[in-house]
Amino acid sequence: MKTVTVNNISKSYSEVKAIENISFDVNEAEIFGLIGPDGAGKTTIFRILTTLILADHGNASLLNYDVVKDYKKIRQIIGYMPGRFSLYQDLTVEENLNFFATVFGTTIKENYDLIKDIYQQIEPFKKRRAGALSGGMKQKLALSCALIHKPEILILDEPTTGVDAVSRKEFWEMLRQLKNRGITILVSTPYMDEASLCDRVALIQKGKIMQIDTPNKIVNNFEKTLYAVRAGNIYRLLQSLRESELTHSAYPFGQYVHYTAKESLNDVADLLDHLTRNGFQNIEIQEIKPNIEDCFMALMS
Amino acid sequence: MRTIKFIIQKEFKQIFRNKSMLPIIFVVPFVQLIILVHAATFEMKNIDMYVVDNDMSSTSRQLISKFGGSPFFRLKKTTFSIKEAEAALLSDEADVVMVINSGMEKSLVRENKASVQLLVNAINGTVAGISNYYVMSILASYNKDLITKWYGVAQSSQIKQININYSFWYNPELNYKTYMVPGILVLLVTIISLFLSGMNLVREKEIGTIEQINVTPIHKYQFIIGKLVPFWIIAMLELALGLTLGKLLFNIPIVGNIFLVFAFASVYLLAVLGIGLFISTIAHNQLQSMFFSFFFMLVFILMSGLFTSVESMPDWAQMLDRINPIYYFIRVMRMILLKGSTFKNIVSEFISISIYAIVVLSLAVWRYRKTV
């Protein structure tokens, strides 16, 4: 059985089409990632699934409960963490948790084992007001509050945005553990490097889904051979490559420029020739394995 | 029930943790009460008067001394120049100028009549009207003196006239404080409950917590009750405190049953909180909510009958006042406190405010959606 099914949903805000004909399924106990830049429509999808807004067209269901008809039921089985920190900043850590437990008709004690691992990390600060917590701790508290009623589906809208690298790693580790407990997790992120941590991802851009697959398959589907190129001034290199007839795509990636050629035959020799003719020195070309970001860039072009 | 209890608890915690909120709730209103009651008075004292006496007769001097003896007038200057007096009027140094032309006494003796001119600064219409009234009554009393003096007591007693004696009911000394304190108390309670409830829900919108709340299975009615009850309690407490202060500081009379006041207030506050809630469902942030509340408040106050009598407003305005909750409460407050009205006397106001509360609250609940 599919835990989440989304069928052809669209939503416009007056003139602007936020999402168009979005369809996807999420399996039980999997981490499903919506990967896309800001404004791609990730939050809109989540808001429809969490029954906060209605879609213009299409339908969606969670555990066979329709998001429109059975919204009351859905609100009991999902845990939602909005993109913006949405807990009461003037209440303490403990009070926040207590409040949300009560609102869901349960107590901290009842589901303590589920949040134990996460909550223990912030427990020393339980008398501190939520507003005074650091970004990483806020996320942990928000996750605890979203989990306190033992939801079957967890929906996390950009949980790691604005969180430091260490906390991000910890956070994903926690998600993995929750998944092992059988919780289905939908997560969105603008960070491409987090895509590989999901079981399956949907690459989304301008309200449309470009591809849905496991991170591995997406990477394997990359058709062209990808090269990382370096030669002196990166900006001049990028310009030169973009002007070249040989180039299929070229974009900066750290200290390198990632490059694919139109013709795969003799591509390295052609490139080297082109660069030397244009006066580049210390040319470094190496074939690399593409990552999700490369796939995203390829799909976008 | 447990959920509602928890929401109420949460609201109280938030209110008491907000450092700027507590003084707003408890200190500001009472400072306002003390200042407003002393300041908002129509009593006219110290009307500055200039006299232009070109007659310089015993009659004119007697007339002037009559004003000098009145507690309402302050004779600032006697001059011979109308120009100077007019200049004083222009520069706000004089409120009233009385001009006595030369030959006033002569004319009075020969022709049995004389006239004096009165120039009143009418920038403030109310003040001008009242000053004018005071001057007239002094002139009338002087007239009577003259008649008695010239024609003797016998003659004057022959003039048949109806003697009018006033007796002011419910406020025999026409004490302004007695009249103002109940009204101002209503205002303070209203301001607090309207503004706080108007800002509260919007605040959750603004900081985003509403999004988290909306995905919970919490019921609309639970949430709204949980939101309104704390402010209802605070406003009731405020009313009790205000009445105590009014009694202690201004010794306002409490003729009627004080519990009737609280019974009415309990329904009245529902109506006001309903308006506040309605505002906060429309507004997108606290600033907008403030402006909305301010707008309603201003109209409600000016039409409430606190400063001006509702009965003297045009008919359409009186009709409009039926949707002004403050109008009802000020009326009832004065009726109970000053007049000792019983429930039977205020039953129509009670019904009106009950209907009002039901309508406004339903509107607010209908308008509040658990969606973004």
Side-chain angles (χ1 to χ4, degrees):
Chain A
M1 189 186 82
K2 302 286 183 197
T3 307
V4 178
T5 32
V6 176
N7 239 328
N8 269 322
I9 54 169
S10 305
K11 174 82 188 173
S12 319
Y13 296 112
S14 55
E15 295 289 288
V16 186
K17 276 189 178 153
I19 52 169
E20 240 185 308
N21 294 325
I22 296 280
S23 303
F24 62 85
D25 295 318
V26 182
N27 299 319
E28 204 183 329
E30 92 174 332
I31 300 181
F32 187 87
L34 285 182
I35 317 286
D38 292 342
K42 303 183 300 280
T43 302
T44 304
I45 296 174
F46 280 176
R47 283 190 169 165
I48 290 170
L49 289 180
T50 50
T51 74
L52 285 173
I53 53 174
L54 298 175
D56 298 336
H57 305 287
N59 56 63
S61 63
L62 288 81
L63 285 174
N64 282 336
Y65 294 116
D66 188 83
V67 286
V68 182
K69 273 188 303 208
D70 310 314
Y71 72 95
K72 279 187 179 155
K73 193 74 200 155
I74 286 182
R75 285 175 184 177
Q76 283 174 351
I77 57 164
I78 58 166
Y80 175 47
M81 207 173 124
R84 200 153 62 118
F85 183 67
S86 306
L87 301 178
Y88 292 100
Q89 314 240 13
D90 41 6
L91 295 185
T92 65
V93 169
E94 202 178 16
E95 283 163 351
N96 263 303
L97 198 59
N98 228 323
F99 176 73
F100 282 99
T102 313
V103 160
F104 280 101
T106 176
T107 56
I108 298 183
K109 236 188 215 158
E110 214 171 299
N111 296 319
Y112 188 71
D113 64 302
L114 186 66
I115 60 160
K116 203 175 103 193
D117 294 337
I118 306 159
Y119 187 57
Q120 267 174 352
Q121 300 175 41
I122 48 172
E123 213 160 10
F125 311 104
K126 69 181 180 183
K127 297 275 178 229
R128 195 183 282 189
R129 293 194 188 167
L133 293 176
S134 69
M137 287 201 279
K138 273 184 184 168
Q139 294 309 89
K140 280 169 197 162
L141 175 60
L143 187 60
S144 301
C145 287
L147 281 170
I148 193 64
H149 59 293
K150 219 176 183 174
E152 295 179 56
I153 302 168
L154 198 56
I155 296 177
L156 311 167
D157 192 6
E158 301 199 3
T160 53
T161 301
V163 176
D164 66 274
V166 180
S167 296
R168 269 167 66 185
K169 224 179 139 200
E170 276 176 12
F171 196 85
W172 278 96
E173 188 46 46
M174 287 184 250
L175 293 190
R176 201 128 289 280
Q177 280 167 19
L178 291 171
K179 172 202 139 115
N180 291 339
R181 283 168 174 267
I183 295 175
T184 308
I185 298 169
L186 255 89
V187 57
S188 72
T189 175
Y191 301 125
M192 304 287 167
D193 56 321
E194 289 182 343
S196 56
L197 301 168
C198 301
D199 295 325
R200 284 195 310 142
V201 294
L203 300 184
I204 173 167
Q205 158 78 1
K206 287 182 185 157
K208 285 182 189 145
I209 288 184
M210 299 187 295
Q211 199 172 3
I212 305 177
D213 222 322
T214 63
N216 271 335
K217 275 195 189 147
I218 287 182
V219 171
N220 290 340
N221 280 349
F222 197 82
E223 287 159 351
K224 298 204 176 272
T225 325
L226 186 70
Y227 296 100
V229 186
R230 183 154 79 165
N233 186 326
I234 189 164
Y235 179 68
R236 222 162 60 77
L237 174 65
L238 189 64
Q239 253 188 343
S240 163
L241 285 175
R242 283 197 173 154
E243 280 161 14
S244 159
E245 300 251 308
L246 302 163
T247 307
H248 175 252
S249 73
Y251 48 87
F253 199 102
Q255 294 179 314
Y256 293 86
V257 171
H258 280 192
Y259 166 85
T260 55
K262 275 185 188 152
E263 301 290 333
S264 52
L265 209 68
N266 283 332
D267 47 3
V268 181
D270 286 347
L271 177 63
L272 200 62
D273 184 46
H274 169 80
L275 290 178
T276 35
R277 253 193 296 120
N278 280 285
F280 285 96
Q281 280 162 355
N282 300 328
I283 299 165
E284 189 185 320
I285 301 174
Q286 61 186 95
E287 192 182 330
I288 52 162
K289 240 186 102 178
N291 59 22
I292 296 280
E293 186 160 346
D294 294 313
C295 301
F296 201 93
M297 298 305 273
L299 286 166
M300 266 174 66
S301 55
Chain B
M1 266 323 281
R2 200 168 147 254
T3 313
I4 296 178
K5 205 189 96 198
F6 245 85
I7 299 174
I8 294 174
Q9 217 175 56
K10 179 209 99 181
E11 289 299 326
F12 269 121
K13 270 182 195 156
Q14 286 186 303
I15 292 167
F16 288 116
R17 277 183 197 168
N18 196 333
K19 285 204 181 70
S20 56
M21 203 83 134
L22 277 181
I24 287 177
I25 293 176
F26 289 106
V27 181
V28 172
F30 297 113
V31 172
Q32 282 180 344
L33 181 72
I34 293 161
I35 293 172
L36 270 182
V37 171
H38 282 295
T41 161
F42 287 141
E43 266 176 332
M44 294 289 307
K45 276 181 189 152
N46 306 328
I47 302 171
D48 287 327
M49 191 173 190
Y50 265 57
V51 178
V52 183
D53 184 3
N54 285 328
D55 196 37
M56 292 299 279
S57 60
S58 63
T59 315
S60 73
R61 268 197 294 274
Q62 261 173 26
L63 179 59
I64 293 165
S65 72
K66 272 238 155 201
F67 283 97
S70 155
F72 302 110
F73 291 94
R74 194 159 59 188
L75 269 185
K76 266 205 143 168
K77 204 170 182 186
T78 315
T79 119
F80 297 109
S81 151
I82 296 185
K83 273 210 176 117
E84 190 191 338
E86 277 177 348
L89 204 62
L90 206 64
S91 64
D92 266 346
E93 267 168 60
D95 299 314
V96 176
V97 172
M98 185 167 67
V99 184
I100 303 169
N101 283 331
S102 74
M104 187 267 263
E105 191 183 45
K106 218 182 269 171
S107 152
L108 198 62
V109 173
R110 281 189 190 156
E111 299 164 34
N112 257 336
K113 62 178 184 194
S115 46
V116 290
Q117 187 188 22
L118 209 61
L119 305 169
V120 183
N121 182 355
I123 288 284
N124 182 334
T126 325
V127 174
I130 295 171
S131 327
N132 188 34
Y133 174 77
Y134 286 168
V135 175
M136 289 321 236
S137 57
I138 288 177
L139 283 175
S141 123
Y142 182 64
N143 243 337
K144 225 166 138 192
D145 285 359
L146 276 183
I147 294 167
T148 320
K149 204 168 106 192
W150 289 358
Y151 301 100
V153 183
Q155 177 108 18
S156 86
S157 66
Q158 272 172 11
I159 304 169
K160 296 209 167 45
Q161 54 179 330
I162 298 167
N163 234 331
I164 302 166
N165 282 312
Y166 299 95
S167 142
F168 299 100
W169 280 41
Y170 312 123
N171 190 0
E173 288 158 31
L174 285 183
N175 185 347
Y176 258 92
K177 282 165 195 148
T178 309
Y179 178 70
M180 290 306 276
V181 170
I184 288 173
L185 260 179
V186 170
L187 283 198
L188 298 182
V189 172
T190 313
I191 289 174
I192 286 292
S193 46
L194 182 68
F195 277 59
L196 289 187
S197 65
M199 306 237 294
N200 187 275
L201 199 65
V202 171
R203 190 156 163 266
E204 299 231 0
K205 266 192 219 173
E206 218 173 80
I207 55 179
T209 45
I210 199 89
E211 197 167 343
Q212 190 90 61
I213 290 287
N214 281 346
V215 292
T216 65
I218 199 167
H219 291 288
K220 222 157 120 171
Y221 78 88
Q222 291 175 326
F223 192 59
I224 286 174
I225 291 175
K227 282 264 163 212
L228 295 190
V229 166
F231 297 118
W232 188 88
I233 294 174
I234 289 174
M236 285 299 253
L237 266 176
E238 199 124 286
L239 180 62
L241 260 162
L243 279 170
T244 318
L245 226 66
K247 183 78 201 162
L248 291 178
L249 288 181
F250 306 112
N251 197 21
I252 50 161
I254 301 179
V255 182
N257 188 345
I258 195 87
F259 292 105
L260 199 55
V261 173
F262 283 100
F264 191 87
S266 64
V267 183
Y268 168 77
L269 283 174
L270 287 183
V272 176
L273 291 172
I275 298 175
L277 189 69
F278 185 68
I279 289 172
S280 67
T281 56
I282 305 174
H284 293 290
N285 52 47
Q286 294 188 67
L287 197 68
Q288 278 181 11
S289 162
M290 279 291 270
F291 275 118
F292 276 126
S293 306
F294 199 77
F295 167 76
F296 278 111
M297 216 47 213
L298 214 62
V299 178
F300 284 167
I301 291 176
L302 289 179
M303 292 190 67
S304 67
L306 175 66
F307 300 112
T308 51
S309 150
V310 175
E311 281 75 14
S312 53
M313 289 180 189
D315 284 343
W316 59 264
Q318 290 192 37
M319 288 297 286
L320 212 64
D321 243 353
R322 284 173 199 282
I323 55 163
N324 182 355
I326 299 182
Y327 157 73
Y328 291 106
F329 197 25
I330 288 189
R331 206 176 139 82
V332 166
M333 193 88 150
R334 283 177 179 160
M335 279 169 83
I336 299 172
L337 291 185
L338 307 185
K339 220 173 168 181
S341 299
T342 56
F343 182 71
K344 235 169 76 189
N345 306 118
I346 60 160
V347 81
S348 78
E349 279 85 2
F350 217 106
I351 292 170
S352 302
I353 203 74
S354 304
I355 295 172
Y356 199 104
I358 292 168
V359 169
V360 172
L361 274 177
S362 332
L363 252 171
V365 173
W366 167 76
R367 195 54 197 116
Y368 169 63
R369 302 246 157 84
K370 276 182 72 177
T371 47
V372 179

